[in-house]
Every structure is written in structure tokens, then in C-alpha cells.
Amino acid sequence: MQNSIALNNKMLNLFFWKIKLNPSFLTMQKLAIIVGGKSPEHDISIISGRNIYKAIDLNKYSPLVIGISKTGQWFHLLGNSLFDEKLDIGNNNNHLPLYLIPFDHSPVRYINDHSELKIDVFFPITHGVLGEDGTLQGLIEHLNLPYVGPSVLGSSIGMDKDVTKTILAQNGIMVTPWKTFYKGDNINLNNLIDELGTPLFVKPANMGSGVGVEKATNIDELNNAIQNAFNYDIKIIIEKGINGREVETAALGNNEIKISGVGEIIVQNGFYTYENKYINNETKVVIPIENFSNESVELIRNTAKKAYKALQLEGLSRIDFFFVNNNEFYLNEVNTLPGFTNISMYPKLWEAQGLSYTDLISELALLAIQRHELKNLLKRNL
């Protein structure tokens, strides 16, 4: 038994040694970027995918693009299809339909001729539900291929704002006070306002990028916001409004975790919604954060690292806070597949640390491969 463990450790160490000593060990691995999906963030996913594609180190990875249509079908996007001005996944002769065979030697194949599409590692940048909530991650697990980002468990936890807050609170991390409700619950609006005050923020429990989020300052607004949030999820949270600075940091790693510096989101008008972020261009990103003490930076970074571990995250995540002062700051939420658009905080935070966009993508792919190799050493079959 001990000899078997020692042999496995030796093989694993040899694998990692080859990678570190000679990066060409992984040269020309087929890296498949997954874009699109069935969530409201379909179009943002495409923008993120374009940026990733342009930044890939072509000495290490050969990129290809898989698009998931708004109806959930998979396609191989040939040529420069990803960069079509009005990309409509699946409605183009250069979009070849795919099907998947779990645990097959070549699990991704073309529907038309059943030939194989070779993939070494996936980079899903499918934001939102059915893309970063663990469902896609579980599907890729069945394909037995490595993928960037947290595993099924971490993805599921990180997507559900209620579950995230519950786990963080149990680990002694301050979170924004909240209440959770399910569709069909009898919600006493007066009691909510008495308990949490105003303003209140109403959010679908499982949605990203501020989709479905509304601010309420009175009972009428609160009622309307609740009805709207239930359009996106059967579970919602209602949070106490916090008058603090919106600060963010980036995590990178599996067991060994690196935390970036701290940046700040400044909303020019209103609050941080999907529209203000991507449509109205009402947000400003400040990196590194200004008028912020070194002590405060370290508080945020240390708390982010603790949260990353508690939530079972791997690969990458962006971690967002409301900062009032050193004695009062709240972890707002985590984003397990943060945006890679031109205005996205996650890659910008690492660029400020000296890690280029290209090197960041390479490191994320390597982390995915390393985790996959470790899992494949486990004894899972009787």
C-alpha cells in the first residue's frame, strides 16, 4: 500500500516537474473556449470569450471555440465565427453541431459525420445559470476532461447567494444582513422594512452581473422588486442596504491560493446593475484602490482568502465587498466565472500585479489540468 502511494506521488511530482521545467511539455494543447449559453448573460459571455481567444499564448495552446446556443445546443464555431458582428450561435454554416458521449475515449463529436473533436482542456466563460452554477461543470466531469474554474460543488455554492452567505456567516465572515424567500411565500413587507430598514436590495438568489437586482426605498418599490426578482428565480434574497465603498479582489489557485490587490467600483449613477455595468457605461474601475490604507487592503485580502477556502472554490473567483471601515466591512458575493470583457475587474486586478492577460489564461488552464490529473489518481471504481 505504502509503495503504491509513493509511486503515485512520484509520478505526480514528475508530471508537475516537467511542466515547470519545460513549458513546452504542454505546447499546443487544444484549449476549447465555451461561450454563450441559456442565461441572460449570453452576449456578455461572447465578449469575454473574444478577449480570451485574442490573448491565448499560441506557443502553448491551440484555441478553438464551442458555442452554446440560447436553446442549449452545442456547436464548434469554425474560423473567425466568434468575431461575427451579430453572432447567432447555431445559425451559420460555419457552426458545426456537436454531441457528447460521457466517458468515451473521445467524448465530443460532430453530429454530421461522427468524427472526433479533440479537446485537452475547456475554458468555460459561460456566465450565469447553466454556465457557472455547477451544471455545466458536472457535464464536463462526465466527459472526463479538465476545465477552468471551480468544481461542481464550489460553482453551485458560489452561484447561490443565500447558500454563500450562510456558509460565510458560519465561518465568522461578516455578510450583508439578508432574508431568504421562495416563490409562494407570504412576505410581510412591513416587517421586512422594520427589521432591515431601507434601502433594501432585492436579488434573485441564482443570477449574476446584477441581473434582476432592484433597489427599494418604500413598500411599493419593494413589492415590485420582489415580483421582478421572481421572474428570474424561485428563490430570492432581500438585503439590507450598506453605505460603503464597493471593493473587489481576485483569487487564483487550487490548494495554493494567490490573492490580488484591491480595486474599487465607482458607480456614476444609481447602483451596480447589469445595465450600468454593460449597457449604460455608468461604472468606473479604479485599480489600485485610492485613499485606502495598507491595513485595509490586507484585511480584505485575508478575508477573501478565508472565504475562498470556506466556499470550496478552485481555479479563480472574484470576491466583492462593501467596505465601511476597518471594523465594518461585509463580503457581498463571489463570482466563480468573472467577466473577461474590456471593463472586467478580474483580469485588470492581475494585470496590476504584473500578471499579463496571456499569462493569466495560461495559468488558469494549467490549474485546470493539474486538478484533473490529481482527480484521475483517485480510486473511484470498485
Side-chain angles (χ1 to χ4, degrees):
M1 178 69 176
Q2 290 180 340
N3 289 338
S4 177
I5 293 174
L7 179 60
N8 282 340
N9 287 338
K10 184 176 181 181
M11 291 173 62
L12 187 61
N13 288 334
L14 179 62
F15 175 80
F16 291 155
W17 175 78
K18 282 183 177 181
I19 293 173
K20 290 179 180 179
L21 184 64
N22 181 16
S24 64
F25 178 71
L26 292 180
T27 295
M28 303 315 292
Q29 295 274 295
K30 295 281 188 180
L31 190 155
I33 306 167
I34 308 179
V35 301
K38 296 178 70 174
S39 90
E41 298 171 74
H42 179 100
D43 294 336
I44 302 306
S45 166
I46 290 170
I47 296 172
S48 291
R50 288 169 177 163
N51 285 344
I52 291 168
Y53 189 98
K54 289 186 290 186
I56 288 173
D57 187 342
L58 298 180
N59 292 315
K60 295 180 180 178
Y61 298 102
S62 175
L64 61 95
V65 181
I66 290 177
I68 301 178
S69 72
K70 292 181 179 179
T71 57
Q73 297 167 297
W74 285 45
F75 296 88
H76 180 196
L77 309 190
L78 299 179
N80 291 319
S81 296
L82 177 61
F83 297 91
D84 289 349
E85 184 176 350
K86 295 182 178 180
L87 176 60
D88 185 5
I89 295 172
N91 289 314
N92 187 305
N93 290 334
N94 286 327
H95 299 182
L96 304 184
L98 301 169
Y99 69 101
L100 310 175
I101 312 175
F103 294 109
D104 190 76
H105 73 280
S106 181
V108 184
R109 299 190 184 184
Y110 296 100
I111 286 177
N112 295 338
D113 60 9
H114 308 293
S115 60
E116 302 173 352
L117 176 59
K118 184 177 183 331
I119 295 170
D120 295 301
V121 55
F122 284 104
F123 196 135
I125 197 65
T126 42
H127 308 306
V129 292
L130 299 179
E132 61 178 304
D133 58 2
T135 52
L136 177 60
Q137 288 71 22
L139 178 59
I140 299 175
E141 290 278 357
H142 279 279
L143 301 181
N144 195 29
L145 288 169
Y147 57 92
V148 170
S151 66
V152 175
L153 179 60
S155 297
S156 299
I157 290 172
M159 190 66 181
D160 191 305
K161 296 176 177 64
D162 173 49
V163 175
T164 293
K165 286 175 175 289
T166 300
I167 292 174
L168 292 175
Q170 289 174 344
N171 280 270
I173 295 173
M174 289 180 64
V175 294
T176 312
W178 87 104
K179 291 290 182 181
T180 302
F181 298 97
Y182 290 84
K183 200 162 192 173
D185 284 350
N186 183 18
I187 306 174
N188 190 314
L189 304 185
N190 286 308
N191 286 351
L192 264 176
I193 291 176
D194 288 343
E195 184 174 351
L196 297 178
T198 56
L200 294 170
F201 287 87
V202 183
K203 304 177 179 181
N206 292 275
M207 196 63 63
S209 289
V211 174
V213 176
E214 290 193 12
K215 179 180 179 180
T217 59
N218 57 53
I219 285 182
D220 288 339
E221 290 179 352
L222 180 58
N223 182 60
N224 291 334
I226 289 171
Q227 300 310 312
N228 180 57
F230 276 130
N231 289 325
Y232 295 95
D233 199 354
I234 60 171
K235 180 168 73 167
I236 66 170
I237 65 169
I238 300 177
E239 292 179 335
K240 177 182 177 66
I242 301 296
N243 185 20
R245 301 172 69 176
E246 296 190 41
V247 304
E248 301 180 351
T249 191
L252 177 67
N254 294 331
N255 293 326
E256 296 181 8
I257 305 162
K258 294 185 284 189
I259 305 293
S260 73
V262 177
E264 183 173 13
I265 295 291
I266 298 175
V267 183
Q268 311 289 348
N269 183 30
F271 61 99
Y272 201 33
T273 63
Y274 179 90
E275 289 75 16
N276 280 342
K277 185 176 182 181
Y278 293 117
I279 299 174
N280 301 330
N281 197 25
E282 294 282 358
T283 59
K284 178 183 177 183
V285 174
V286 180
I287 303 174
I289 191 170
E290 299 173 349
N291 302 316
F292 209 69
S293 69
N294 290 335
E295 180 185 3
S296 298
V297 168
E298 289 310 304
L299 278 171
I300 294 296
R301 294 179 73 244
N302 290 336
T303 305
K305 188 173 186 177
K306 182 178 179 180
Y308 194 79
K309 292 180 178 179
L311 298 173
Q312 306 291 301
L313 302 177
E314 299 167 286
L316 78 162
S317 287
R318 195 194 69 236
I319 303 170
D320 305 347
F321 295 84
F322 291 124
F323 187 87
V324 181
N325 56 57
N326 279 3
N327 297 315
E328 187 182 357
F329 60 96
Y330 305 87
L331 199 154
N332 180 32
E333 61 184 36
V334 299
N335 191 319
T336 58
L337 280 181
F340 276 73
T341 70
N342 293 331
I343 63 170
S344 294
M345 179 72 91
Y346 186 86
K348 287 181 177 293
L349 282 166
W350 285 116
E351 284 180 328
Q353 298 290 115
L355 183 63
S356 71
Y357 206 133
T358 294
D359 289 341
L360 173 60
I361 292 167
S362 295
E363 184 158 351
L364 287 169
L366 181 56
L367 286 168
I369 292 167
Q370 288 177 343
R371 179 181 63 192
H372 184 69
E373 291 294 326
L374 281 172
K375 284 186 175 181
N376 278 346
L377 292 175
L378 299 175
K379 183 177 180 181
R380 291 184 167 180
N381 298 320
L382 295 178

